């Protein structure tokens, strides 16, 4: 099972959803679904842009539990 750490990362960096939308180019609805862990799929494109915007790796965004 994968644990989504997006909300924790955003909190640690003090980034709001609208700011992440602006710097990543990802839609607000996609970020919101990921933030609240309401989605089952994520595209490679989205993951790439999130990692670049948050300056993190996939291991930071998700962890296997």
């Amino acid at each position: 099972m994968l644990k989504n750490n997006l909300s924790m990362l955003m909190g640690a960096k003090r980034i709001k959803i609208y700011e992440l939308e602006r710097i990543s180019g990802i839609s607000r609805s996609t970020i919101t679904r990921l933030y609240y862990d309401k989605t089952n799929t994520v595209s490679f494109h989205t993951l790439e842009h999130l990692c670049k915007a948050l300056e993190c790796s996939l291991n930071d965004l998700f962890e296997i539990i």
Side-chain angles (χ1 to χ4, degrees):
M1 180 176 181
L2 285 177
K3 179 181 177 194
N4 177 351
N5 292 323
L6 179 62
S7 61
M8 183 187 70
L9 278 173
M10 289 175 63
K13 294 178 181 266
R14 295 179 180 246
I15 295 176
K16 306 273 187 209
I17 290 174
Y18 71 87
E19 291 174 294
L20 187 55
E21 174 189 16
R22 183 180 50 80
I23 61 176
S24 70
I26 299 168
S27 73
R28 184 182 188 100
S29 61
T30 298
I31 295 170
T32 300
R33 284 193 311 271
L34 284 167
Y35 184 89
Y36 290 107
D37 205 15
K38 299 289 185 187
T39 187
N40 293 323
T41 60
V42 184
S43 73
F44 288 124
H45 177 265
T46 298
L47 293 174
E48 178 183 2
H49 285 273
L50 285 175
C51 287
K52 285 181 181 177
L54 294 170
E55 298 176 350
C56 68
S57 70
L58 285 175
N59 290 334
D60 298 325
L61 272 177
F62 297 99
E63 65 181 283
I64 296 174
I65 54 171

